[in-house]
């Protein structure tokens, strides 16, 4: 039975990334548990993408639920201007302890995109405060994605990203391919040697570019990009909103390359995927550039719901779980199973690559898939999988059981195989 709220409310909702004229209706959801999403008609779907990559501990983890309930009764929200509270200060201390060396200051934001905006603004004002206001552009990478707000859009891939329509309305940045060999690194080095006087920082999704196309680069490449950025006095901003919290195998993707970014953005799995929160961490040296008798040198940013106590309590509970439960081992097991079970897709018509990194499994198709045809087929298999462009991928909760993961990988093989047969 279709719920009344679905019928009544649907004509008033504007849905994300969606051509509302042609898109099929969304599915009414009534509950979540573990790795499953329960629909209003009673069906259950295994979630293969962890609610946009955020639900790392599975849905409704009792420890986070309890932390949220307790915080809810005491203080769901209080402003962060002139006031501080235990959940935020505890979280700030813990984040600086687990993130790469030297990231000692945390600015809380209310989403990933805003955490990126904060990172960009910090980098711009850092140079202004240091007397180098001409360093006011960013270097970013093709296939990159850093969020949906204007600043974040400006550093995402201008051609391929979800933001094509706004290409001419955002600040032009330097957009280059991720260097891959000695030759392209020499070019990259030469480019930065020429334009570093105009560049405040570079921003990168370390190891895995997510929404821009699920592309991987090696830890060596990441380390080399970092080295060249530092050589030319350019701030290195790591957007770990998707890669953080073991998604690529290490607690943070930067760890695999042994680098410490100047600025780092967190979001998505930060609260275990329960409630929105972003964080921007900076090296002490960056923070110090804002300390001055001149009030204009202060960092001018402060979202209304900054450091929301509920969100910080959820994030603290999520960190407790990371300390107690064997996520690293689970990611290793997921990586092995994804590699084993997605590999057969390589022989299917239309598939050009299969790649796995941590708890990310990607089947790369030759051309854009017919998303509208594919998505309902996954529902028939009892799974929640959302291909986009030429990518069919899995980023399941890190707690997914091997049997559930097998259903997900099996569904990908079957759906791609049945598509191939039809065309
Ligand atoms: C999702 C994402 C963002 C944006 O986060 P929101 O919470 O959706 O604003 C930014 N950067 C990366 C790498 C992301 O994957």
């Amino acid at each position: 039975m279709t719920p009344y709220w679905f019928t009544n409310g649907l004509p008033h909702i504007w849905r994300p990334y969606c051509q509302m004229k042609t898109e099929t209706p969304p599915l009414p959801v009534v509950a979540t548990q573990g790795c499953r999403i329960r629909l209003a008609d009673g069906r259950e779907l295994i979630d293969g993408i962890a609610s946009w990559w955020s639900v790392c501990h599975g849905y409704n983890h009792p420890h986070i639920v309890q932390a949220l309930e307790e915080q809810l009764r005491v203080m769901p929200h209080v402003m962060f201007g002139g006031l501080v509270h235990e959940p935020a200060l505890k979280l700030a201390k813990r984040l600086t302890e687990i993130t790469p060396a030297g990231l000692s200051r945390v600015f809380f934001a209310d989403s990933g995109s805003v955490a990126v905006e904060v990172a960009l603004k910090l980098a711009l004002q850092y140079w202004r405060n240091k007397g180098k206001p001409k360093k006011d552009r960013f270097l970013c990478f093709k296939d990159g994605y850093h969020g949906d707000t204007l600043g974040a859009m400006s550093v995402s891939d201008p051609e391929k990203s979800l933001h094509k329509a706004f290409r001419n309305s955002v600040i032009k940045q330097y957009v280059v391919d991720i260097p891959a060999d000695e030759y392209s690194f020499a070019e990259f080095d030469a480019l930065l040697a020429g334009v570093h006087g105009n560049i405040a920082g570079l921003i990168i999704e370390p190891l895995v570019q997510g929404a821009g196309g699920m592309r991987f680069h090696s830890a060596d490449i990441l380390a080399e990009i970092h080295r060249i950025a530092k050589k030319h006095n350019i701030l290195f901003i790591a957007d770990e909103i998707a890669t953080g919290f073991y998604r690529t195998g290490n607690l943070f993707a930067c760890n695999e390359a042994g680098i410490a970014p100047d600025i780092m953005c967190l979001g998505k799995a930060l609260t275990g995927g329960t409630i929105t929160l972003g964080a921007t961490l900076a090296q002490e040296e960056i923070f110090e550039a804002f300390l001055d008798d001149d009030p204009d040198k202060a960092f001018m940013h402060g979202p209304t719901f900054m450091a929301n106590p509920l969100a910080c309590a959820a994030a603290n509970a999520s960190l407790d779980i990371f300390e107690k439960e064997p996520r690293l081992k689970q990611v290793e097991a997921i990586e092995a199973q994804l590699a084993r079970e997605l590999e057969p897709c390589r022989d299917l018509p239309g598939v050009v690559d299969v790649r796995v990194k941590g708890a990310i499994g990607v089947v790369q198709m030759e051309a854009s898939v017919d998303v509208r045809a594919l998505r309902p087929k996954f529902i028939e298999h009892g799974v929640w999988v959302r291909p986009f462009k030429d990518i069919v991928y899995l980023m399941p909760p890190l707690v997914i059981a091997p049997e559930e993961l097998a259903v997900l990988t099996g569904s990908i093989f079957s759906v791609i195989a049945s598509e191939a047969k039809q065309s």
Side-chain angles (χ1 to χ4, degrees), residues 17 52-53 110-116 145-149 152 205 208-211 239-243 265 267-268 276-277:
Y17 298 124
W52 270 336
W53 327 341
D110 32 19
S111 72
S113 298
V114 176
V116 169
Y145 172 83
H146 297 285
D148 290 350
T149 47
E205 298 156 272
V208 177
Q209 294 181 298
D239 178 353
E240 292 243 19
I241 290 168
T243 52
C265 302
K268 290 201 163 96
T276 182
L277 182 68

mmCIF file of all heavy atoms in Angstrom, residues 17 52-53 110-116 145-149 152 205 208-211 239-243 265 267-268 276-277, ligand 1:
data_model
loop_
_atom_site.group_PDB
_atom_site.id
_atom_site.type_symbol
_atom_site.label_atom_id
_atom_site.label_comp_id
_atom_site.label_asym_id
_atom_site.label_seq_id
_atom_site.Cartn_x
_atom_site.Cartn_y
_atom_site.Cartn_z
ATOM 1 N N TYR A 17 19.779 15.963 -8.140
ATOM 2 C CA TYR A 17 20.374 15.454 -9.383
ATOM 3 C C TYR A 17 19.362 14.713 -10.229
ATOM 4 O O TYR A 17 19.571 13.562 -10.594
ATOM 5 C CB TYR A 17 21.518 14.481 -9.072
ATOM 6 C CG TYR A 17 22.649 15.091 -8.314
ATOM 7 C CD1 TYR A 17 23.075 14.546 -7.109
ATOM 8 C CD2 TYR A 17 23.285 16.220 -8.799
ATOM 9 C CE1 TYR A 17 24.127 15.123 -6.408
ATOM 10 C CE2 TYR A 17 24.326 16.787 -8.097
ATOM 11 C CZ TYR A 17 24.742 16.230 -6.908
ATOM 12 O OH TYR A 17 25.773 16.798 -6.216
ATOM 13 N N TRP A 52 25.002 7.120 0.108
ATOM 14 C CA TRP A 52 26.005 8.073 -0.365
ATOM 15 C C TRP A 52 27.280 7.994 0.460
ATOM 16 O O TRP A 52 27.843 9.021 0.872
ATOM 17 C CB TRP A 52 25.437 9.500 -0.464
ATOM 18 C CG TRP A 52 24.840 9.780 -1.824
ATOM 19 C CD1 TRP A 52 25.159 9.155 -2.993
ATOM 20 C CD2 TRP A 52 23.836 10.755 -2.172
ATOM 21 N NE1 TRP A 52 24.421 9.676 -4.044
ATOM 22 C CE2 TRP A 52 23.598 10.653 -3.554
ATOM 23 C CE3 TRP A 52 23.124 11.705 -1.422
ATOM 24 C CZ2 TRP A 52 22.684 11.471 -4.221
ATOM 25 C CZ3 TRP A 52 22.213 12.506 -2.084
ATOM 26 C CH2 TRP A 52 21.990 12.385 -3.477
ATOM 27 N N TRP A 53 27.707 6.749 0.745
ATOM 28 C CA TRP A 53 29.049 6.463 1.266
ATOM 29 C C TRP A 53 29.258 6.885 2.724
ATOM 30 O O TRP A 53 30.382 6.993 3.193
ATOM 31 C CB TRP A 53 30.151 7.120 0.406
ATOM 32 C CG TRP A 53 29.825 7.205 -1.055
ATOM 33 C CD1 TRP A 53 28.869 6.466 -1.731
ATOM 34 C CD2 TRP A 53 30.406 8.042 -2.050
ATOM 35 N NE1 TRP A 53 28.839 6.792 -3.061
ATOM 36 C CE2 TRP A 53 29.782 7.771 -3.287
ATOM 37 C CE3 TRP A 53 31.422 8.993 -2.013
ATOM 38 C CZ2 TRP A 53 30.123 8.426 -4.479
ATOM 39 C CZ3 TRP A 53 31.752 9.639 -3.199
ATOM 40 C CH2 TRP A 53 31.109 9.363 -4.411
ATOM 41 N N ASP A 110 28.703 22.361 8.646
ATOM 42 C CA ASP A 110 27.463 21.581 8.702
ATOM 43 C C ASP A 110 27.279 20.612 7.544
ATOM 44 O O ASP A 110 26.267 19.932 7.464
ATOM 45 C CB ASP A 110 26.243 22.489 8.862
ATOM 46 C CG ASP A 110 26.425 23.832 8.183
ATOM 47 O OD1 ASP A 110 27.311 23.947 7.310
ATOM 48 O OD2 ASP A 110 25.689 24.774 8.524
ATOM 49 N N SER A 111 28.244 20.537 6.645
ATOM 50 C CA SER A 111 28.170 19.527 5.585
ATOM 51 C C SER A 111 29.540 19.433 4.938
ATOM 52 O O SER A 111 30.428 20.262 5.212
ATOM 53 C CB SER A 111 27.134 19.903 4.526
ATOM 54 O OG SER A 111 27.612 20.981 3.744
ATOM 55 N N GLY A 112 29.691 18.471 4.054
ATOM 56 C CA GLY A 112 30.962 18.328 3.359
ATOM 57 C C GLY A 112 31.270 19.532 2.480
ATOM 58 O O GLY A 112 32.383 20.055 2.490
ATOM 59 N N SER A 113 30.285 19.969 1.713
ATOM 60 C CA SER A 113 30.513 21.112 0.819
ATOM 61 C C SER A 113 30.969 22.340 1.596
ATOM 62 O O SER A 113 31.870 23.066 1.154
ATOM 63 C CB SER A 113 29.232 21.454 0.043
ATOM 64 O OG SER A 113 28.836 20.384 -0.768
ATOM 65 N N VAL A 114 30.357 22.558 2.743
ATOM 66 C CA VAL A 114 30.743 23.737 3.532
ATOM 67 C C VAL A 114 32.142 23.549 4.114
ATOM 68 O O VAL A 114 32.915 24.508 4.204
ATOM 69 C CB VAL A 114 29.689 24.053 4.618
ATOM 70 C CG1 VAL A 114 30.140 25.210 5.497
ATOM 71 C CG2 VAL A 114 28.352 24.399 3.966
ATOM 72 N N ALA A 115 32.490 22.310 4.474
ATOM 73 C CA ALA A 115 33.860 22.051 4.935
ATOM 74 C C ALA A 115 34.859 22.413 3.827
ATOM 75 O O ALA A 115 35.942 22.943 4.097
ATOM 76 C CB ALA A 115 34.025 20.588 5.347
ATOM 77 N N VAL A 116 34.490 22.139 2.570
ATOM 78 C CA VAL A 116 35.358 22.511 1.445
ATOM 79 C C VAL A 116 35.411 24.030 1.286
ATOM 80 O O VAL A 116 36.490 24.602 1.084
ATOM 81 C CB VAL A 116 34.879 21.833 0.138
ATOM 82 C CG1 VAL A 116 35.588 22.413 -1.079
ATOM 83 C CG2 VAL A 116 35.107 20.320 0.209
ATOM 84 N N TYR A 145 35.656 15.998 -7.745
ATOM 85 C CA TYR A 145 34.364 16.466 -7.228
ATOM 86 C C TYR A 145 34.551 16.882 -5.775
ATOM 87 O O TYR A 145 35.071 16.104 -4.970
ATOM 88 C CB TYR A 145 33.296 15.365 -7.312
ATOM 89 C CG TYR A 145 32.015 15.768 -6.619
ATOM 90 C CD1 TYR A 145 31.069 16.554 -7.265
ATOM 91 C CD2 TYR A 145 31.783 15.415 -5.297
ATOM 92 C CE1 TYR A 145 29.920 16.968 -6.606
ATOM 93 C CE2 TYR A 145 30.629 15.825 -4.632
ATOM 94 C CZ TYR A 145 29.709 16.599 -5.292
ATOM 95 O OH TYR A 145 28.574 17.018 -4.637
ATOM 96 N N HIS A 146 34.111 18.104 -5.438
ATOM 97 C CA HIS A 146 34.317 18.578 -4.074
ATOM 98 C C HIS A 146 33.067 19.172 -3.447
ATOM 99 O O HIS A 146 33.162 19.822 -2.408
ATOM 100 C CB HIS A 146 35.464 19.592 -4.049
ATOM 101 C CG HIS A 146 36.778 19.000 -4.451
ATOM 102 N ND1 HIS A 146 37.517 18.183 -3.623
ATOM 103 C CD2 HIS A 146 37.468 19.043 -5.620
ATOM 104 C CE1 HIS A 146 38.608 17.768 -4.255
ATOM 105 N NE2 HIS A 146 38.603 18.274 -5.468
ATOM 106 N N GLY A 147 31.916 18.969 -4.066
ATOM 107 C CA GLY A 147 30.695 19.464 -3.445
ATOM 108 C C GLY A 147 29.895 20.332 -4.395
ATOM 109 O O GLY A 147 30.298 20.587 -5.534
ATOM 110 N N ASP A 148 28.760 20.803 -3.905
ATOM 111 C CA ASP A 148 27.769 21.448 -4.767
ATOM 112 C C ASP A 148 27.658 22.958 -4.604
ATOM 113 O O ASP A 148 26.916 23.601 -5.330
ATOM 114 C CB ASP A 148 26.386 20.843 -4.488
ATOM 115 C CG ASP A 148 26.293 19.407 -4.983
ATOM 116 O OD1 ASP A 148 27.212 18.970 -5.701
ATOM 117 O OD2 ASP A 148 25.308 18.742 -4.662
ATOM 118 N N THR A 149 28.351 23.525 -3.639
ATOM 119 C CA THR A 149 28.269 24.976 -3.453
ATOM 120 C C THR A 149 29.204 25.653 -4.462
ATOM 121 O O THR A 149 30.032 24.997 -5.089
ATOM 122 C CB THR A 149 28.672 25.336 -2.019
ATOM 123 O OG1 THR A 149 29.884 24.638 -1.712
ATOM 124 C CG2 THR A 149 27.593 24.911 -1.026
ATOM 125 N N ALA A 152 33.034 25.135 -4.085
ATOM 126 C CA ALA A 152 33.345 23.713 -4.293
ATOM 127 C C ALA A 152 33.164 23.338 -5.762
ATOM 128 O O ALA A 152 33.954 22.569 -6.318
ATOM 129 C CB ALA A 152 32.454 22.847 -3.397
ATOM 130 N N GLU A 205 41.076 14.813 -4.029
ATOM 131 C CA GLU A 205 40.523 13.667 -3.309
ATOM 132 C C GLU A 205 41.620 12.603 -3.318
ATOM 133 O O GLU A 205 41.895 12.016 -4.359
ATOM 134 C CB GLU A 205 39.297 13.120 -4.043
ATOM 135 C CG GLU A 205 38.135 14.085 -4.165
ATOM 136 C CD GLU A 205 37.234 13.709 -5.358
ATOM 137 O OE1 GLU A 205 37.506 14.167 -6.495
ATOM 138 O OE2 GLU A 205 36.286 12.950 -5.149
ATOM 139 N N VAL A 208 41.309 8.223 -4.371
ATOM 140 C CA VAL A 208 40.105 7.873 -5.130
ATOM 141 C C VAL A 208 39.283 9.125 -5.418
ATOM 142 O O VAL A 208 38.842 9.813 -4.497
ATOM 143 C CB VAL A 208 39.220 6.863 -4.364
ATOM 144 C CG1 VAL A 208 37.941 6.582 -5.133
ATOM 145 C CG2 VAL A 208 39.974 5.559 -4.103
ATOM 146 N N GLN A 209 39.100 9.422 -6.687
ATOM 147 C CA GLN A 209 38.169 10.481 -7.070
ATOM 148 C C GLN A 209 36.793 9.842 -7.144
ATOM 149 O O GLN A 209 36.588 8.891 -7.906
ATOM 150 C CB GLN A 209 38.563 11.065 -8.425
ATOM 151 C CG GLN A 209 39.897 11.795 -8.388
ATOM 152 C CD GLN A 209 40.251 12.373 -9.747
ATOM 153 O OE1 GLN A 209 40.420 11.634 -10.707
ATOM 154 N NE2 GLN A 209 40.369 13.685 -9.822
ATOM 155 N N GLY A 210 35.871 10.328 -6.338
ATOM 156 C CA GLY A 210 34.583 9.649 -6.191
ATOM 157 C C GLY A 210 33.559 10.045 -7.234
ATOM 158 O O GLY A 210 33.514 9.492 -8.336
ATOM 159 N N ALA A 211 32.734 11.018 -6.893
ATOM 160 C CA ALA A 211 31.567 11.345 -7.717
ATOM 161 C C ALA A 211 31.942 11.744 -9.146
ATOM 162 O O ALA A 211 31.116 11.662 -10.052
ATOM 163 C CB ALA A 211 30.773 12.467 -7.048
ATOM 164 N N ASP A 239 40.798 16.549 0.393
ATOM 165 C CA ASP A 239 39.363 16.368 0.606
ATOM 166 C C ASP A 239 39.125 14.882 0.873
ATOM 167 O O ASP A 239 39.009 14.086 -0.051
ATOM 168 C CB ASP A 239 38.587 16.851 -0.625
ATOM 169 C CG ASP A 239 37.084 16.635 -0.483
ATOM 170 O OD1 ASP A 239 36.663 15.994 0.493
ATOM 171 O OD2 ASP A 239 36.340 17.115 -1.365
ATOM 172 N N GLU A 240 39.075 14.544 2.165
ATOM 173 C CA GLU A 240 38.888 13.133 2.570
ATOM 174 C C GLU A 240 37.433 12.874 2.966
ATOM 175 O O GLU A 240 37.138 11.959 3.738
ATOM 176 C CB GLU A 240 39.837 12.777 3.727
ATOM 177 C CG GLU A 240 41.300 12.759 3.327
ATOM 178 C CD GLU A 240 41.960 11.366 3.457
ATOM 179 O OE1 GLU A 240 41.226 10.354 3.518
ATOM 180 O OE2 GLU A 240 43.194 11.325 3.489
ATOM 181 N N ILE A 241 36.536 13.676 2.429
ATOM 182 C CA ILE A 241 35.126 13.529 2.797
ATOM 183 C C ILE A 241 34.605 12.148 2.399
ATOM 184 O O ILE A 241 33.846 11.528 3.140
ATOM 185 C CB ILE A 241 34.304 14.663 2.151
ATOM 186 C CG1 ILE A 241 34.665 15.988 2.840
ATOM 187 C CG2 ILE A 241 32.803 14.384 2.237
ATOM 188 C CD1 ILE A 241 34.159 17.223 2.119
ATOM 189 N N ALA A 242 35.050 11.647 1.252
ATOM 190 C CA ALA A 242 34.611 10.307 0.834
ATOM 191 C C ALA A 242 35.617 9.235 1.226
ATOM 192 O O ALA A 242 35.245 8.103 1.530
ATOM 193 C CB ALA A 242 34.396 10.281 -0.678
ATOM 194 N N THR A 243 36.915 9.570 1.228
ATOM 195 C CA THR A 243 37.940 8.539 1.422
ATOM 196 C C THR A 243 38.245 8.267 2.885
ATOM 197 O O THR A 243 38.820 7.227 3.208
ATOM 198 C CB THR A 243 39.256 8.962 0.728
ATOM 199 O OG1 THR A 243 39.594 10.282 1.163
ATOM 200 C CG2 THR A 243 39.114 8.938 -0.783
ATOM 201 N N CYS A 265 39.630 18.023 4.794
ATOM 202 C CA CYS A 265 38.180 18.110 4.955
ATOM 203 C C CYS A 265 37.605 16.731 5.277
ATOM 204 O O CYS A 265 37.953 15.745 4.639
ATOM 205 C CB CYS A 265 37.516 18.600 3.674
ATOM 206 S SG CYS A 265 38.116 20.198 3.122
ATOM 207 N N GLY A 267 33.769 14.642 6.298
ATOM 208 C CA GLY A 267 32.301 14.710 6.265
ATOM 209 C C GLY A 267 31.763 13.300 6.173
ATOM 210 O O GLY A 267 32.346 12.376 6.727
ATOM 211 N N LYS A 268 30.689 13.134 5.444
ATOM 212 C CA LYS A 268 30.104 11.815 5.178
ATOM 213 C C LYS A 268 30.149 10.851 6.380
ATOM 214 O O LYS A 268 29.308 10.932 7.253
ATOM 215 C CB LYS A 268 30.731 11.213 3.927
ATOM 216 C CG LYS A 268 30.288 11.982 2.678
ATOM 217 C CD LYS A 268 30.441 11.188 1.386
ATOM 218 C CE LYS A 268 29.621 11.806 0.282
ATOM 219 N NZ LYS A 268 30.341 12.715 -0.591
ATOM 220 N N THR A 276 24.199 15.181 9.686
ATOM 221 C CA THR A 276 25.176 15.924 8.889
ATOM 222 C C THR A 276 26.202 16.659 9.758
ATOM 223 O O THR A 276 25.854 17.301 10.753
ATOM 224 C CB THR A 276 24.468 16.901 7.930
ATOM 225 O OG1 THR A 276 25.447 17.572 7.145
ATOM 226 C CG2 THR A 276 23.639 17.933 8.694
ATOM 227 N N LEU A 277 27.481 16.541 9.363
ATOM 228 C CA LEU A 277 28.562 17.268 10.027
ATOM 229 C C LEU A 277 29.770 17.287 9.107
ATOM 230 O O LEU A 277 30.067 16.283 8.463
ATOM 231 C CB LEU A 277 28.939 16.584 11.353
ATOM 232 C CG LEU A 277 30.039 17.272 12.175
ATOM 233 C CD1 LEU A 277 29.557 18.618 12.721
ATOM 234 C CD2 LEU A 277 30.492 16.395 13.348
HETATM 235 C C1 LIG B 1 30.176 14.165 -0.960
HETATM 236 C C2 LIG B 1 31.426 14.914 -1.134
HETATM 237 C C3 LIG B 1 31.490 16.290 -0.859
HETATM 238 C C4 LIG B 1 30.278 17.099 -0.463
HETATM 239 O O1 LIG B 1 29.750 16.722 0.769
HETATM 240 P P1 LIG B 1 28.238 17.130 1.102
HETATM 241 O O2 LIG B 1 28.055 16.693 2.530
HETATM 242 O O3 LIG B 1 27.389 16.366 0.140
HETATM 243 O O4 LIG B 1 28.104 18.589 0.936
HETATM 244 C C5 LIG B 1 32.702 16.931 -1.011
HETATM 245 N N1 LIG B 1 33.797 16.261 -1.404
HETATM 246 C C6 LIG B 1 33.779 14.932 -1.667
HETATM 247 C C7 LIG B 1 35.031 14.236 -2.072
HETATM 248 C C8 LIG B 1 32.587 14.222 -1.567
HETATM 249 O O5 LIG B 1 32.557 12.927 -1.881
#
